[in-house]
Amino acid sequence: EAQSDTSTYLQLTSICRNNQRIGLGQKVLRELCRNTSLPFEFDSLSFEAQKFLFSELQLVSPTERLPTTTLTEPSVCYTVLKHLWLSEFHNDALLGIQSFIQKLSQIKEINQENSSNTGEPNQTQILLSKAHIKYGHWLIQQNQMTISTVEKSLKSFDLATKLNPRSYKTWRAWANLNFEVVAKADQVVNMKKTKQTSTFSSIPLINKIYPSSPSSKSFIHKTLKSSSSNTSSPSPSVTSSPLSSANNLISHSDEDGFENLKIKSYLESAVKGYIRSISLSGENSIQDILRLLTLWFTYGANNEIESALKEGFGSISIDTWLQVIPQLIARIETPTAIRFGVRELLCDIAQEHPQAL
């Protein structure tokens, strides 16, 4: 039975979702949920959402709920919520994941009281961390990118990094959103400056982690293009993030908030987040490296950012920088303090891999 091999079935549903085989994933999930009922924390779902789950996943009605048949496996509950979101029940998925986080937080506290602290995150903490990340992503996709939404999502991501500090995905999500706040603030300021002399359509837009339109220009690509234009080596391409499935997420009514935002703390958080993500992810870090270079080349003259970068570079393997040597070489003659850091980094690379330069 599926219930006797839950982890394998959940991995299969994940593969189906990642390959856009939603129907097949639903069939697999149905085997895990058949003839069980939703736990009490799912009672906040709308009638339509519950009806959908009863019919598609063959869950039984709450009126027939019995302790022995209640769906209690947290990882399965979490997968049901993700399926609910993919099925366009966004408000219900948001409400459900909030209840799920509250319930799982209580379980985590009980587990901590009954076990010794080894420093390693347990399965409950790992799952809770994933739920916080998912909640933050859904919140922005559902409610647009306003100051209020950003702060709630950043708080959720920050909790995720504390629950599972050894996961590069949590640090990446936290860094990405801080990076996006900085990019949005810059965009709003530039729009205000050029409003008198150009139309909105002529202003270069940033191809965001949560893009506002398919035609938006890539902020990262624009920053790095000049770096790679003087070299014959192909530079890594910048692809969209998994978060880029939603459109029109920039709230124009909140532009004044972004214009007056103090971005220094967001800059430092983005730099530190990317450094942690790169050091933990190994080879799976090209997008993070490109974004980190963007921040370095754009804001590296700032003393606090320069200090954060120098402190963090020591935790990143020299081999990691081999992927972006063309971009680094193109910045050797940058007429700012950035060039000294670039030269120092290239010297470190040359000591380990002289043939690469």
Side-chain angles (χ1 to χ4, degrees), residues 9-69:
Y9 275 76
L10 290 177
Q11 289 177 7
L12 183 54
T13 60
S14 177
I15 293 172
C16 292
R17 282 196 310 273
N18 293 337
N19 289 277
Q20 304 301 314
R21 301 294 299 273
I22 308 303
L24 179 58
Q26 180 173 293
K27 290 180 181 179
V28 177
L29 188 58
R30 184 184 300 147
E31 295 300 317
L32 288 170
C33 299
R34 190 190 304 273
N35 297 327
T36 60
S37 62
L38 290 172
F40 288 98
E41 56 265 23
F42 279 65
D43 287 350
S44 60
L45 300 183
S46 67
F47 173 77
E48 290 78 11
Q50 292 194 35
K51 183 179 179 181
F52 170 79
L53 293 177
F54 300 150
S55 60
E56 299 299 330
L57 301 183
Q58 297 186 4
L59 289 156
V60 299
S61 169
T63 57
E64 304 174 33
R65 181 189 286 129
L66 296 172
T68 56
T69 61

Side-chain angles (χ1 to χ4, degrees), residues 328-336 339 342-343:
L328 294 172
I329 292 176
R331 295 285 174 164
I332 290 178
E333 298 301 327
T334 301
T336 65
R339 68 177 181 270
V342 172
R343 291 175 181 177

Side-chain angles (χ1 to χ4, degrees), residues 292-293 296-297 299-303 305-314 318 321 324-325 327-350 357:
L292 183 61
L293 289 181
W296 186 14
F297 297 158
Y299 304 101
N302 181 281
N303 292 332
I305 303 304
E306 183 182 12
S307 299
L309 286 164
K310 286 184 177 180
E311 181 182 349
F313 281 171
I318 288 295
W321 302 107
V324 291
I325 285 178
Q327 286 87 346
L328 294 172
I329 292 176
R331 295 285 174 164
I332 290 178
E333 298 301 327
T334 301
T336 65
I338 298 171
R339 68 177 181 270
F340 298 111
V342 172
R343 291 175 181 177
E344 184 178 347
L345 180 56
L346 286 171
C347 288
D348 292 338
I349 295 172
L357 296 180

Side-chain angles (χ1 to χ4, degrees), residues 169-268:
K169 292 182 179 180
T170 60
W171 291 104
R172 175 179 291 171
W174 187 57
N176 278 345
L177 187 51
N178 279 286
F179 178 89
E180 175 66 10
V181 171
V182 173
K184 172 60 179 174
D186 276 349
Q187 181 194 15
V188 171
V189 170
N190 290 334
M191 286 173 58
K192 295 287 185 180
K193 289 180 179 179
T194 57
K195 191 174 182 180
Q196 301 298 326
T197 57
S198 62
T199 61
F200 177 81
S201 60
S202 66
I203 300 173
L205 295 179
I206 300 168
N207 182 20
K208 298 186 170 299
I209 298 166
Y210 310 95
S212 57
S213 68
S215 62
S216 297
K217 302 296 184 183
S218 171
F219 176 67
I220 300 171
H221 178 69
K222 284 178 63 184
T223 306
L224 298 177
K225 185 177 180 182
S226 60
S227 302
S228 58
S229 60
N230 297 328
T231 64
S232 58
S233 300
S235 60
S237 60
V238 180
T239 58
S240 60
S241 164
L243 305 178
S244 61
S245 57
N247 294 321
N248 303 317
L249 294 175
I250 299 173
S251 173
H252 297 293
S253 62
D254 211 47
E255 286 182 355
D256 289 340
F258 280 100
E259 182 184 13
N260 299 322
L261 203 64
K262 304 298 182 183
I263 67 170
K264 185 176 293 186
S265 62
Y266 296 96
L267 272 172
E268 292 184 31

